[in-house]
Amino acid sequence: MSTSHLDALIDALRKLPGVGVKSAQRMAFHLLQHDRGGAQQIARALEQAVQSVRHCSRCHTFTDDEVCAICRDTTRDARQLCVVETPADQAALERTGSYRGYYYVLMGRISPLDGVGASALGASGLLVRASDGQVEEVILATSFTAEGEATAHVLAEGLKARGLKVTRLARGVPAGSELEYVDLSTIAHALVDRR
Amino acid sequence: MSTSHLDALIDALRKLPGVGVKSAQRMAFHLLQHDRGGAQQIARALEQAVQSVRHCSRCHTFTDDEVCAICRDTTRDARQLCVVETPADQAALERTGSYRGYYYVLMGRISPLDGVGASALGASGLLVRASDGQVEEVILATSFTAEGEATAHVLAEGLKARGLKVTRLARGVPAGSELEYVDLSTIAHALVDRR
C-alpha cells in the first residue's frame, strides 16, 4: 500500500459516484491484477468522452454533434415535446416505441438540498425550446419522486404562463402487478386517475 | 443515448468489478455533467498505474519499484514472514503497529470455482521467498472464510514440507464485542483456542 501510483489510482476512482475507499481499492486491484487492457479502455473512453461529448443545442442531451440524432430526425411530431430528467429516462421512453415527438433532457431535477434550483437545471433553455412556435403540448415525464414532482410543478408553471398545454405521465398500477403487492399511494393515485 | 462516445464510456465502465449497466450510466452521466476534471484525473491515474505498477520481486505486492518500500526496510525482522491475500489486508496489519516482520502478498486466494488453484496464486513464489535461509516462521493471515482457510491449508503443507514453522492468526471473539452477539462458530473456536 506504499505505492504512489496505486494510491493515486485509488484516490481518483473515489471520484466515481457511490464509490468509497473500499470499492476503489477493489476496483484498482482488480484492474491491475486481472484486466490492464480494461483499465486502458476505460482511460481512453474517459478522455474521448470528455473531449467529444457535449450538449445538444436543441434538447440539451449528451451528443457528439451540435444537434443529436433524435432532434435531427425530421419525421418526428414537432407538436409534442417530452421533458425527461436523464438520457437514460429518454432511452426508456424510446424503447416503448409509443412516442414520436421530440424531447428535452433536463440532465437532473430540482434538488434544494444539493443546491439545484430551476435556474441551475436550465429551465430557461426548456422555455426557449418549447416556444419555437411548433410545440403545442409539453409532456412532463420527470420522476414520480418528491424531487421529480417538484421539478414538474415548477416547470409546468413557467410553461403554462407561455400558453402551452402541459401534461404529466399518468400515475397508476404498473403493468403485470397484482394489486395486493402495490403500495397504497400508487393505488390511491390510480383510483383518482381512473378512466 | 444515441451518442457513440457516451456509449463507449458506459461500455468501458462496465469493466469495473461490481458495475452493471445502470451504475455505469450513472457514473458516466455524473462525470460528464458534474466532474469532467475528475474524469480526466481517473483517466490519467489509470494510464499511469497500468504503465508503472508492477509486482515487488520479493513480496509480490503492487509497487512502482523493483522492490517495495516494506521489503527495502532493513530494520524489520527477517525471521518472520506474514502471508496475506491483498495489499489492503497488509495495510490493515501494518496499521496495528504490532508486526515488524516482512510480508508475502498472494494477490488472491484459492478459489476452485473461479479456476484459481495454488499454482495460479503463485504459491511457488512464496515457497522460494520463504526458503531464503532467514525466515523461521511463516504466519498465515489469509481470510477466515472457506476459501481463505483452504488457501492457508494448501500453503501450510508446502511450507511445512520445507521444514518451516507455520502459524495461523488466532481465531476468537473480536475486541469490543459482547458474547451474546458473537456467532456460535466464533465462540466455539475461541473456546478451543483458549489460553
Side-chain angles (χ1 to χ4, degrees):
Chain A
M1 294 300 285
S2 54
T3 321
S4 59
H5 281 117
L6 177 61
D7 289 345
L9 175 57
I10 293 171
D11 265 8
L13 288 171
R14 295 187 57 190
K15 298 270 176 185
L16 294 169
V19 174
V21 65
K22 291 275 176 195
S23 304
Q25 277 182 353
R26 200 162 48 91
M27 288 172 172
F29 295 159
H30 171 82
L31 290 175
L32 290 172
Q33 185 73 4
H34 301 294
D35 196 5
R36 293 196 175 211
Q40 286 175 313
Q41 186 187 336
I42 297 171
R44 277 194 303 269
L46 281 166
E47 292 283 9
Q48 286 185 333
V50 165
Q51 209 157 53
S52 311
V53 176
R54 49 179 169 164
H55 291 287
C56 171
S57 63
R58 279 176 67 79
C59 78
H60 198 58
T61 195
F62 286 129
T63 174
D64 292 352
D65 309 298
E66 168 70 17
V67 176
C68 74
I70 290 180
C71 286
R72 282 202 308 269
D73 178 356
T74 54
T75 67
R76 285 177 169 259
D77 186 347
R79 292 168 300 178
Q80 291 187 323
L81 185 69
C82 182
V83 179
V84 292
E85 289 176 5
T86 64
D89 292 345
Q90 181 186 19
L93 272 162
E94 280 295 287
R95 278 197 299 273
T96 68
S98 54
Y99 178 69
R100 289 297 304 164
Y102 290 98
Y103 292 93
Y104 190 86
V105 185
L106 294 170
M107 292 291 175
R109 58 182 100 168
I110 289 175
S111 176
L113 289 179
D114 301 324
V116 181
S119 56
L121 204 59
S124 56
L126 168 61
L127 292 180
V128 170
R129 171 68 185 87
S131 310
D132 70 346
Q134 293 190 284
V135 173
E136 293 173 7
E137 178 185 1
V138 179
I139 302 163
L140 297 174
T142 54
S143 306
F144 285 95
T145 59
E147 293 177 341
E149 296 276 19
T151 305
H153 182 75
V154 169
L155 295 178
E157 286 191 338
L159 292 162
K160 283 177 186 161
R162 302 207 167 198
L164 290 156
K165 179 182 172 194
V166 179
T167 57
R168 183 98 169 93
L169 284 194
R171 282 179 296 206
V173 180
S177 48
E178 292 179 57
L179 219 57
E180 181 180 355
Y181 302 107
V182 174
D183 69 290
L184 297 185
S185 156
T186 299
I187 295 179
H189 282 305
L191 257 176
V192 172
D193 294 348
R194 69 185 181 279
R195 57 200 178 90
Chain B
M1 296 300 283
S2 55
T3 321
S4 57
H5 281 116
L6 178 59
D7 289 344
L9 176 56
I10 293 170
D11 265 6
L13 288 171
R14 294 187 59 190
K15 297 271 177 185
L16 293 169
V19 173
V21 67
K22 292 273 176 195
S23 304
Q25 277 181 352
R26 200 162 49 91
M27 288 173 172
F29 295 160
H30 172 82
L31 290 175
L32 289 171
Q33 185 74 2
H34 300 294
D35 196 4
R36 294 197 173 211
Q40 286 176 312
Q41 186 187 334
I42 297 171
R44 277 193 304 270
L46 281 167
E47 291 283 9
Q48 286 185 333
V50 166
Q51 209 155 52
S52 311
V53 176
R54 49 178 168 164
H55 290 287
C56 171
S57 62
R58 279 176 66 79
C59 77
H60 199 56
T61 195
F62 286 129
T63 174
D64 292 351
D65 308 298
E66 169 69 17
V67 177
C68 75
I70 289 180
C71 287
R72 283 200 308 270
D73 179 356
T74 53
T75 67
R76 285 178 169 258
D77 186 347
R79 291 168 300 179
Q80 291 187 323
L81 185 70
C82 182
V83 179
V84 294
E85 289 176 4
T86 65
D89 292 345
Q90 180 185 20
L93 272 162
E94 280 295 287
R95 279 197 298 274
T96 67
S98 54
Y99 179 68
R100 291 295 303 162
Y102 290 98
Y103 291 93
Y104 190 86
V105 185
L106 293 170
M107 293 291 176
R109 60 183 98 167
I110 288 175
S111 176
L113 289 178
D114 302 323
V116 181
S119 56
L121 205 58
S124 55
L126 168 61
L127 291 181
V128 170
R129 171 69 184 85
S131 309
D132 70 346
Q134 294 190 282
V135 173
E136 294 172 6
E137 178 185 0
V138 178
I139 303 163
L140 296 175
T142 55
S143 305
F144 285 94
T145 59
E147 293 177 343
E149 296 276 17
T151 305
H153 181 75
V154 170
L155 296 179
E157 286 190 339
L159 292 162
K160 282 177 187 163
R162 301 206 169 201
L164 289 156
K165 180 181 171 193
V166 179
T167 57
R168 183 99 169 91
L169 283 193
R171 282 179 295 205
V173 180
S177 49
E178 293 179 57
L179 218 56
E180 181 180 355
Y181 301 108
V182 175
D183 69 289
L184 298 186
S185 155
T186 298
I187 295 179
H189 281 304
L191 258 177
V192 171
D193 293 348
R194 69 186 181 277
R195 59 201 176 91

